[in-house]
Amino acid sequence: MLPFQLSCIRQWKDAAETVIIGGGCVGVSLAYHLAKAGQKDVVLLEKSELTAGSTWHAAVGFHQPGSIRIASTPVRVDELKYQMARTHWHPTPQWLITPEKIKELFPLLNMDKVLAGLYNPGDGHIDPYSLTMALAAGARMYGAQIYNPALVSGLTPTSDGKWDVQTPHGTIRANRIVNATGFWAREVGQQIGFDHPTIPVHHQYVVTATVPEVKALKAELPVIRDLEGSYYLRQERDGLLFGPYEKEEKMVLQDSWVRDGVPPGFGKELFESDLDRIMHHVEMAMEMVPVLKNADIINIVSGPITYTPDLLPMVGPHQGARNYWTAIGFGYGVIHAGGIGKFLSDWIVTGEPPYDLIECDPNRYGKWTTVPYLCAKARESYGFNNVVGYPKEERFAGRPTNRTSGVYELLKGKASMGFHAGWEQPHWFYKPGDNAGYKPSFRRTNWFGPVGRECKLVMEKVGVVDLTPFGKFMVKGKDSHKLLDRLFANTMPKVGLTNISHMLTPTGRVYAEVTITQLTPGEFLLITGSGSELHDLRWMEEEVAEGAYDVDISNVTEDIGVLGVAGPKARDVLQKLTQEDMSDASFKFLHCKPIQLGGINLRAIRISYTGELGWELYIPHKDMAAVYQAIMAAGEDEGIDNFGTYAMSSLRLEKGFRGWGAEMNCDTNPLEAGLDYFIKLNKHADFIGKAALQEIKAKGLKRKLSYITMETDDVDPEGNETIWLNGKVVGNTTSGAYSYTTQQSLAFAYLPVELCSVGQKVEVEMLGRKYPAMVVQEPLVLTEPTRTRLQKKSKA
């Protein structure tokens, strides 16, 4: 028995606050930050030795020479400007530099094609072994226990939400467990029933012998990222090191590990290298850095790095198992370790995320993430490392999944489809003469005209939109009203009524926005955004467990299809298909009724995310196509047609509707977001975040959401652009679009309260230019219920 194992057994803890599984840089970073934050009883378990896995073969040493992203085409220059417009409002030490400056910093470059660069002087590379050992030493210094070798052989949940973690040395009872096991993540997840969508990818990098021109330099070269060549390159001692990202037809997945598991004992082994596979990138690197042509290769390293379908890691608590957290799927664990360790530590200690990182939420995936989908997306994503990052980006590998709506087959040949939590959803529809297909751009592109046509349709006639990707939950039981009053800041709607409600974090930030309808006494239908489905469900389930509520929450997202019917003639169309009285007097705004439409039973809610007269129809999935076809046939005389989510986004912005994930999220509170109407601070129930909001209100706001119009040309705001005034950064946009009704660009934006007055002039940065903008009274276009109310008042 090894001396460590004797020591390990003698000091073995049988209980811990947090057990971290995995001793790579991410796991030890979390152990360090948790222990430093004062959490007692932090235990890290490593199956072999620290840094085994992807950490040990990472291509880095401890240096800080800076980095330059090279732009060698005009569209790449636009991409850098697009990034910079999103960088200024949360300051990052990077800026655009000229070819002359690039040549000064990296004199070995062939400058024939170089147009610009994005320079980060603080960037660099660090030896992964030293980093991991330093974090481990710090974790131990603050009281964390690190055991290795300590294979986790079993994970058993207890009735009170804790975990029994089994190892050859004994069992630890843990309040929570964190899976930080890199390319072993699937094996650990499978012990408790999860098939985490992670897969190892073969990544190669090449190291050269001494290059005389490099040796003669007086200062270390910055790291180069050649986006067109799809590789990174840096100095390695007196030579060079470069690593390419191959295209999907050439790169290699270790998919056998997904099917059969990682071979027992695999740790610091490597794969067989294949120089032929990367020769295209080698040649491009030689063209950009000519001294490579005469350099001798002394080593080619090929090792596994872990990918998820969308390239982003899975970080946070996982839905479906209490107190199970993940920190997995890192393609660049050495880079992310420090930040992720601090982020997760803060979340664990305080009970809520320190800032919004929903794009890394492990709950963005579901059972639709099959192995074939995972493999197709990982193969696509590897090659996407250096593709142009356009706004409204779509990637098509692995699509469609098995999560298609009941009208997908009817619409797929007519529309440009978007991907939302596994679903295909129309973005916009083609007509004869349109420039069809996915044509991404930083400027107005082929969808701009058709989206205007769809907005006009909804404003003047009637349109139908597929809203099936909404997350849908049924909540019922003895404590259902009590639970929802605790979770949501609004009062609960009466039977047959609907409202908009918000779940808040303990510090008063917006965790979710949900549409709530009370169908029968104590039975509620909750609707949330597609990307928030399991994110919101986990939060609700956690409160049910903590408060021991007698309720049942069922996820009915895939059981129910949703069609939105909107426009001034929507009532006329629907009335043809039902005996239910659809008039204003009988079917009021924010009311819900079970109706029969074309002989099919469904639920209709009078609500519309376009702000126009409309209903959402909640239909059994099997009946969705029949209902859709009946509506389209009934609406022929009214000029009915389809519209997509791009038009809906433009229309909702014209009406001043806030969107979760843009105007509100875990970085904002509802008062600064202008959601006061939905926040009932005087309601009897002590909802989560109530005390914090009362304190925020008493102290006063420092910033508020404003509504701005802009003078633009062929580019419109998307959100996250920097706002300037007198040469200083003063805020940021949250979402934006072109208003086809008023023929101008508009956006929501956060500004200091002193700059929120109507008429205030500012500038919005887009693609390297500052466009004039002005705060205006919201909304640009009144909603249909408001217009109707004002018309009645005027007549009275």
Side-chain angles (χ1 to χ4, degrees):
M1 191 173 285
L2 295 174
F4 169 76
Q5 291 176 311
L6 286 168
S7 152
C8 176
I9 294 171
R10 189 167 58 246
Q11 301 174 10
W12 190 256
K13 298 173 72 73
D14 58 7
E17 180 71 19
T18 301
V19 168
I20 301 161
I21 308 169
C25 55
V26 173
V28 295
S29 174
L30 176 56
Y32 167 75
H33 283 288
L34 276 175
K36 185 179 179 182
Q39 183 171 114
K40 306 299 182 185
D41 298 326
V42 176
V43 171
L44 184 145
L45 303 175
E46 164 53 43
K47 67 187 290 290
S48 54
E49 57 184 297
L50 299 184
T51 77
S54 295
T55 298
W56 84 270
H57 65 77
V60 285
F62 184 66
H63 299 265
Q64 201 171 20
S67 70
I68 306 172
R69 295 174 70 88
I70 297 294
S72 54
T73 64
V75 73
R76 288 290 188 186
V77 176
D78 277 352
E79 181 183 24
L80 299 188
K81 291 177 180 177
Y82 183 81
Q83 293 175 10
M84 286 303 300
R86 282 148 179 76
T87 295
H88 286 126
W89 69 271
H90 47 136
T92 304
Q94 65 179 35
W95 52 85
L96 289 172
I97 58 175
T98 64
E100 292 74 21
K101 183 63 176 178
I102 296 171
K103 182 68 173 177
E104 177 187 331
L105 293 168
F106 203 114
L108 304 182
L109 280 182
N110 173 5
M111 301 299 294
D112 290 349
K113 295 181 180 179
V114 177
L115 301 177
L118 188 62
Y119 178 50
N120 184 329
D123 206 351
H125 40 97
I126 186 170
D127 167 48
Y129 181 86
S130 299
L131 169 66
T132 305
M133 291 307 175
L135 288 167
R140 292 188 183 100
M141 180 180 71
Y142 285 113
Q145 300 290 315
I146 298 177
Y147 299 147
N148 68 287
L151 173 70
V152 173
S153 55
L155 295 168
T156 305
T158 65
S159 59
D160 58 353
K162 298 182 180 181
W163 291 90
D164 282 339
V165 183
Q166 287 103 35
T167 81
H169 308 298
T171 297
I172 305 178
R173 175 68 57 89
N175 289 0
R176 74 182 57 77
I177 55 175
V178 183
N179 182 348
T181 55
F183 53 69
W184 288 283
R186 284 181 67 87
E187 277 89 330
V188 173
Q190 285 167 351
Q191 292 185 22
I192 54 177
F194 292 121
D195 283 316
H196 294 312
T198 62
I199 187 170
V201 172
H202 289 222
H203 179 64
Q204 300 188 96
Y205 64 87
V206 177
V207 183
T208 76
T210 295
V211 176
E213 293 88 345
V214 174
K215 187 174 183 179
L217 294 171
K218 295 180 179 179
E220 183 176 358
L221 294 168
V223 179
I224 289 291
R225 292 181 174 87
D226 181 1
L227 305 179
E228 289 301 302
S230 190
Y231 63 86
Y232 58 86
L233 180 146
R234 68 167 177 82
Q235 186 172 336
E236 172 70 3
R237 296 185 175 87
D238 291 331
L240 295 170
L241 177 154
F242 65 98
Y245 294 96
E246 306 131 73
K247 293 182 178 179
E248 56 187 291
E249 64 272 14
K250 288 193 173 183
M251 58 82 66
V252 176
L253 296 175
Q254 195 62 30
D255 48 0
S256 65
W257 290 8
V258 175
R259 296 190 305 269
D260 308 323
V262 182
F266 189 96
K268 292 191 174 183
E269 292 79 6
L270 290 169
F271 300 131
E272 186 175 348
S273 61
D274 184 353
L275 186 59
D276 290 341
R277 210 173 75 220
I278 60 174
M279 273 309 297
H280 170 70
H281 304 278
V282 172
E283 290 166 358
M284 294 191 75
M286 287 177 173
E287 183 180 354
M288 184 65 76
V289 187
V291 296
L292 274 174
K293 295 177 182 178
N294 300 317
D296 294 326
I297 294 174
I298 60 172
N299 198 13
I300 304 175
V301 177
S302 179
I305 57 175
T306 308
Y307 268 41
T308 62
D310 63 6
L311 266 176
L312 294 171
M314 300 170 62
V315 180
H318 204 291
Q319 189 273 331
R322 287 189 69 195
N323 296 316
Y324 172 64
W325 296 59
T326 61
I328 59 178
F330 293 91
Y332 320 99
V334 174
I335 295 172
H336 292 142
I340 288 299
K342 183 67 166 66
F343 175 80
L344 278 179
S345 172
D346 289 350
W347 191 343
I348 289 169
V349 170
T350 66
E352 64 178 279
Y355 45 86
D356 199 86
L357 267 188
I358 193 172
E359 64 269 26
C360 296
D361 190 339
N363 306 298
R364 67 189 186 274
Y365 298 120
K367 293 181 179 178
W368 51 269
T369 318
T370 61
V371 170
Y373 172 81
L374 164 63
C375 292
K377 296 306 287 187
R379 184 173 291 280
E380 176 191 56
S381 293
Y382 189 73
F384 261 71
N385 267 284
N386 290 311
V387 300
V388 177
Y390 288 106
K392 294 182 170 64
E393 180 183 80
E394 286 295 323
R395 295 162 48 216
F396 297 96
R399 294 170 52 182
T401 71
N402 55 16
R403 212 177 203 200
T404 53
S405 81
V407 296
Y408 171 70
E409 291 297 326
L410 298 173
L411 302 181
K412 66 180 183 181
K414 303 176 182 179
S416 178
M417 289 287 181
F419 187 74
H420 302 272
W423 301 95
E424 299 289 323
Q425 186 175 29
H427 279 165
W428 61 280
F429 286 83
Y430 314 140
K431 294 291 183 187
D434 288 342
N435 181 8
Y438 174 64
K439 309 286 174 61
S441 175
F442 292 101
R443 294 172 168 81
R444 293 173 186 167
T445 183
N446 60 330
W447 54 261
F448 184 78
V451 170
R453 180 176 63 216
E454 293 174 16
C455 289
K456 183 179 174 68
L457 167 78
V458 175
M459 293 295 290
E460 298 180 0
K461 296 179 182 179
V462 55
V464 179
V465 61
D466 182 8
L467 299 174
T468 299
F470 282 160
K472 315 165 196 84
F473 315 117
M474 297 294 295
V475 180
K476 57 186 177 180
K478 183 170 68 73
D479 292 337
S480 60
H481 200 293
K482 180 181 176 184
L483 168 69
L484 297 180
D485 250 341
R486 169 66 176 159
L487 281 169
F488 291 93
N490 204 344
T491 53
M492 289 303 101
K494 297 177 181 179
V495 174
L497 299 185
T498 298
N499 71 16
I500 308 296
S501 299
H502 298 85
M503 289 193 289
L504 307 181
T505 71
T507 60
R509 294 176 293 169
V510 185
Y511 190 82
E513 180 178 77
V514 179
T515 301
I516 300 180
T517 303
Q518 189 166 188
L519 304 174
T520 63
E523 182 185 20
F524 297 85
L525 172 65
L526 275 58
I527 308 298
T528 189
S530 58
S532 303
E533 177 192 344
L534 300 182
H535 168 270
D536 295 1
L537 182 59
R538 185 206 66 81
W539 188 265
M540 292 189 288
E541 289 174 339
E542 183 65 24
E543 181 60 26
V544 170
E546 290 289 329
Y549 294 89
D550 183 1
V551 295
D552 175 70
I553 302 178
S554 53
N555 186 355
V556 294
T557 298
E558 296 186 2
D559 302 329
I560 302 174
V562 187
L563 292 174
V565 184
K569 298 182 179 180
R571 177 183 286 113
D572 301 337
V573 173
L574 295 178
Q575 192 65 77
K576 296 178 185 181
L577 297 169
T578 183
Q579 298 298 312
E580 185 70 39
D581 185 354
M582 305 296 285
S583 68
D584 264 336
S586 180
F587 205 145
K588 297 180 180 179
F589 182 56
L590 292 179
H591 279 57
C592 173
K593 291 184 180 183
I595 68 171
Q596 194 174 77
L597 200 72
I600 295 172
N601 294 317
L602 52 87
R603 285 192 175 92
I605 300 176
R606 189 175 162 197
I607 189 174
S608 173
Y609 289 98
T610 67
E612 293 305 297
L613 173 68
W615 281 263
E616 284 176 9
L617 308 177
Y618 290 82
I619 311 159
H621 204 271
K622 63 181 177 60
D623 298 323
M624 192 177 175
V627 171
Y628 169 82
Q629 290 171 318
I631 291 171
M632 298 304 285
E636 284 186 7
D637 292 343
E638 286 75 16
I640 198 169
D641 211 338
N642 299 292
F643 71 101
T645 57
Y646 285 1
M648 187 168 70
S649 178
S650 174
L651 291 166
R652 75 99 176 163
L653 277 163
E654 290 180 344
K655 309 303 193 313
F657 291 180
R658 280 88 170 132
W660 192 89
E663 285 68 59
M664 51 181 138
N665 55 25
C666 286
D667 294 329
T668 60
N669 70 65
L671 303 182
E672 64 188 4
L675 299 172
D676 309 54
Y677 176 81
F678 305 103
I679 307 300
K680 302 300 190 277
L681 286 172
N682 60 348
K683 84 171 186 176
H684 177 72
D686 183 24
F687 61 83
I688 296 170
K690 183 177 183 179
L693 271 193
Q694 289 170 331
E695 185 176 344
I696 290 169
K697 186 175 182 179
K699 288 182 177 178
L701 300 175
K702 294 181 179 180
R703 65 171 191 166
K704 288 187 71 175
L705 192 68
S706 298
Y707 199 59
I708 62 174
T709 56
M710 300 170 53
E711 299 174 23
T712 59
D713 39 39
D714 64 343
V715 59
D716 298 297
E718 294 277 336
N720 285 321
E721 291 94 359
T722 299
I723 300 179
W724 298 80
L725 179 64
N726 298 328
K728 293 184 179 180
V729 173
V730 293
N732 64 282
T733 62
T734 54
S735 58
Y738 184 77
S739 166
Y740 294 89
T741 307
T742 65
Q743 306 258 307
Q744 60 190 320
S745 292
L746 73 156
F748 273 121
Y750 275 107
L751 292 170
V753 290
E754 63 271 18
L755 298 180
C756 292
S757 301
V758 170
Q760 173 69 54
K761 294 183 178 181
V762 292
E763 294 177 307
V764 177
E765 180 183 356
M766 296 188 295
L767 297 183
R769 178 179 165 188
K770 295 175 184 175
Y771 289 85
M774 184 171 68
V775 177
V776 298
Q777 182 67 46
E778 64 174 290
L780 285 180
V781 181
L782 296 175
T783 63
E784 177 273 330
T786 302
R787 297 198 305 267
T788 301
R789 187 172 64 250
L790 290 175
Q791 288 169 0
K792 290 179 179 178
K793 185 177 180 181
S794 177
K795 290 178 181 179

